[in-house]
Amino acid sequence: MTHDPDLRASDADRDRVAAVLAEALATGRLTSVEHADRLDVAYTAKTMGELVPLTRDLPEVSASDVPAAIEQQVIDSKFSKIVRKGRWVASRNTRLSARFGALIIDLSDAVLPGREITIETNAWFSKMIVRVPDNAHVIDEGSSMFGKRNVTGGSQADGPLIRVTGSSKFSKVIVSRGKDDWNLH
């Protein structure tokens, strides 16, 4: 990274720091709490000077060493109900698949590995619920046939961009900020 602490940080700079932090979490150099705290600071950093202290005590990671889990993740439910909530590390590209079941994913406390993530929602004869952070801007690019698709749109806050893609058939897909209309249990 550059040595000018006053230089404005780019999304690519923040993503490089996130990759180093993710590798440190995976190899046991950081606890999940330390990782989450540093990642929060990384994605709100405005200057390079704010990013440097976050990785000063960690080894550098090249782009080829970025863990695959940061890039892509699959959560699959067949004839069952899966709930993922609390503090967990999401991926830049997460594919959610439900067949004759239920899939409930809560991103409100999850560690998001970038300013933009894509959630692919594929549901057949199922119910799928995705809760996003309050400050997230959501773009729906998905489709539905013989079902219901309810995606709560954007926020003007400076939060992550969550792009929702995929299709549903004979299913219900809900993407929202609140818990009023569904149950996490």
Side-chain angles (χ1 to χ4, degrees), residues 82-102:
I82 293 178
V83 177
R84 174 133 340 146
K85 63 181 179 175
R87 199 75 158 163
W88 61 285
V89 180
S91 298
R92 281 190 177 89
N93 297 293
T94 301
R95 185 166 51 93
L96 305 177
S97 177
R99 304 287 185 263
F100 301 97

Side-chain angles (χ1 to χ4, degrees), residues 39-180:
L39 199 61
D40 287 343
V41 172
Y43 282 117
T44 58
K46 299 213 182 311
T47 66
M48 297 301 288
E50 295 173 77
L51 292 175
V52 171
L54 300 175
T55 58
R56 183 172 288 144
D57 59 343
L58 301 172
E60 195 62 37
V61 175
S62 68
S64 63
D65 292 338
V66 175
I70 289 178
E71 295 302 322
Q72 188 164 2
Q73 184 176 148
V74 176
I75 303 172
D76 194 14
S77 171
K78 291 182 181 141
F79 298 99
S80 58
K81 178 179 182 179
I82 293 178
V83 177
R84 174 133 340 146
K85 63 181 179 175
R87 199 75 158 163
W88 61 285
V89 180
S91 298
R92 281 190 177 89
N93 297 293
T94 301
R95 185 166 51 93
L96 305 177
S97 177
R99 304 287 185 263
F100 301 97
L103 189 53
I104 301 171
I105 304 297
D106 189 349
L107 295 170
S108 61
D109 289 328
V111 177
L112 303 179
R115 299 287 295 163
E116 180 175 338
I117 66 169
T118 300
I119 305 290
E120 181 183 342
T121 58
N122 294 311
W124 293 4
F125 300 96
S126 299
K127 181 177 183 180
M128 186 178 295
I129 300 168
V130 179
R131 181 177 179 210
V132 298
D134 290 334
N135 64 345
H137 180 71
V138 180
I139 298 174
D140 183 20
E141 298 174 345
S143 64
S144 179
M145 182 181 359
F146 299 111
K148 179 179 180 181
R149 187 173 183 91
N150 183 8
V151 178
T152 303
S155 166
Q156 298 306 317
D158 188 30
L161 172 65
I162 299 177
R163 191 174 304 278
V164 182
T165 65
S167 65
S168 61
K169 294 176 177 86
F170 303 99
S171 297
K172 183 177 189 178
V173 175
I174 299 171
V175 178
S176 69
R177 288 179 173 71
K179 290 193 235 184
D180 300 343

